[in-house]
Amino acid sequence: MKLRCVVIDDEPLAVELLESYVRKTPFLELAGSYGSGTAAFESLREDPVDLLFCDIQMPGLNGMELSRMLPTETRIIFTTAFSRYAVEGFRVNAVDYLLKPIAYTDFLAAAEKALAWFELNARAAGAAPNAVAAAAPEKPAPASSASAAKSLFVKTEYRLQQIAFDSILYIEGLKDYVKIHVKGEPRPVLSLMSLKSLEEQLPADRFIRVHRSYIVQPSKIRTIERNRIVFEKEYIPISDNYRQAFFDFLAEHSPIV
């Protein structure tokens, strides 16, 4: 798979550096370079690409503003000299954030992260990157294969990590990512996939969705109060759309008296 990409920066030296990085990365194809967000927008509107390497602080149309005007299928890796933009960058669903001066190793890691996103979506949809949006819905995996397994492997931080089903407390969906909260771990496991695709890999007799953004393992629940599930200091909401199915699941597997 090759990703068509564009470099946008108002500093000519920064553009030259990123162009050289793109050319030495086998899965990237340079579709153009621009010195401003305004010039890039005019071109991208006519000829969308897969990936942007985009500076944030530019005169006229800055990188954040440009990102909000592009289709969701175009992914963005922000490049900037100012770390204060990191949080805002992730709020607009950026793939990654590179702080100048940018080393090739950091550039490559961010590019591989974008490639992983496109590969996951292409596998799920059975289509090339630019056709992801028009792809057919994902097909559920056979329940028997998930039920027989005791763990799953997820991609996280450029490696595959095995997670035992029995160790999972709950899973939180965040747009294109999921957070898998594991018992005894100080931080959740972050992986690039949709909550729906992960749900289809989980055994249906152990996990159930309780909210559009949450899946829980009922056997790990100790307390339910006011339509909320309590995991230590975290409160998981039970939405109206999933409440009946959730309590039916509890009644079937753990009688309520």
Side-chain angles (χ1 to χ4, degrees):
M1 178 180 291
K2 278 213 169 192
L3 303 182
R4 294 182 68 243
C5 64
V6 156
V7 172
I8 309 171
D9 201 303
D10 61 334
E11 298 178 6
L13 290 178
V15 170
E16 289 180 15
L17 178 67
L18 291 174
E19 285 178 338
S20 70
Y21 286 173
V22 169
R23 292 190 180 99
K24 69 191 292 187
T25 305
F27 58 84
L28 295 181
E29 176 185 330
L30 186 63
S33 300
Y34 302 91
S36 72
T38 304
F41 176 68
E42 292 299 323
S43 175
L44 294 171
R45 185 168 55 180
E46 300 295 328
D47 182 24
V49 296
D50 300 310
L51 183 63
L52 302 185
F53 293 93
C54 184
D55 189 22
I56 293 179
Q57 200 168 48
M58 296 183 290
L61 186 66
N62 67 40
M64 289 294 175
E65 293 167 338
L66 175 63
S67 70
R68 295 184 176 97
M69 301 166 68
L70 298 175
T72 55
E73 293 77 24
T74 298
R75 310 302 293 176
I76 300 175
I77 295 174
F78 283 119
T79 61
T80 183
F82 303 97
S83 59
R84 66 176 180 271
Y85 290 116
V87 173
E88 189 177 355
F90 285 109
R91 282 177 182 163
V92 298
N93 203 24
V95 171
D96 211 340
Y97 174 97
L98 295 173
L99 191 63
K100 298 177 181 180
I102 301 168
Y104 179 66
T105 52
D106 295 330
F107 174 92
L108 181 60
E112 287 177 338
K113 193 173 180 180
L115 179 65
W117 185 90
F118 280 106
E119 287 178 337
L120 283 170
N121 281 271
R123 283 200 300 269
N130 284 331
V132 168
E138 300 169 4
K139 295 182 179 179
S144 58
S145 62
S147 299
K150 295 183 179 180
S151 63
L152 79 165
F153 282 91
V154 297
K155 283 186 177 181
T156 178
E157 298 179 359
Y158 318 113
R159 68 178 187 272
L160 283 174
Q161 181 171 334
Q162 186 178 33
I163 303 176
F165 290 138
D166 192 55
S167 68
I168 299 173
L169 299 175
Y170 65 96
I171 302 161
E172 180 181 359
L174 301 168
K175 291 187 178 180
D176 301 318
Y177 293 82
V178 294
K179 282 184 178 181
I180 304 174
H181 295 260
V182 179
K183 183 178 179 180
E185 295 295 331
R187 296 185 303 169
V189 177
L190 186 66
S191 184
L192 183 66
M193 71 174 77
S194 70
L195 189 64
K196 181 180 183 297
S197 64
L198 177 57
E199 182 180 19
E200 291 167 354
Q201 305 306 315
L202 298 171
D205 60 343
R206 298 189 64 170
F207 294 87
I208 188 167
R209 190 185 287 237
V210 296
H211 186 276
R212 62 180 296 184
S213 300
Y214 291 97
I215 294 171
V216 302
Q217 181 164 199
S219 65
K220 303 301 180 183
I221 297 173
R222 296 293 174 264
T223 307
I224 301 173
E225 62 176 47
R226 299 177 183 177
N227 286 319
R228 297 182 302 178
I229 300 166
V230 183
F231 285 104
E232 296 180 350
K233 296 181 181 180
E234 299 297 323
Y235 291 84
I236 308 302
I238 305 170
S239 72
D240 291 341
N241 291 338
Y242 297 95
R243 182 177 293 113
Q244 188 60 53
F246 171 61
F247 282 103
D248 287 347
F249 184 100
L250 291 184
E252 180 182 352
H253 295 84
S254 301
I256 301 174
V257 297

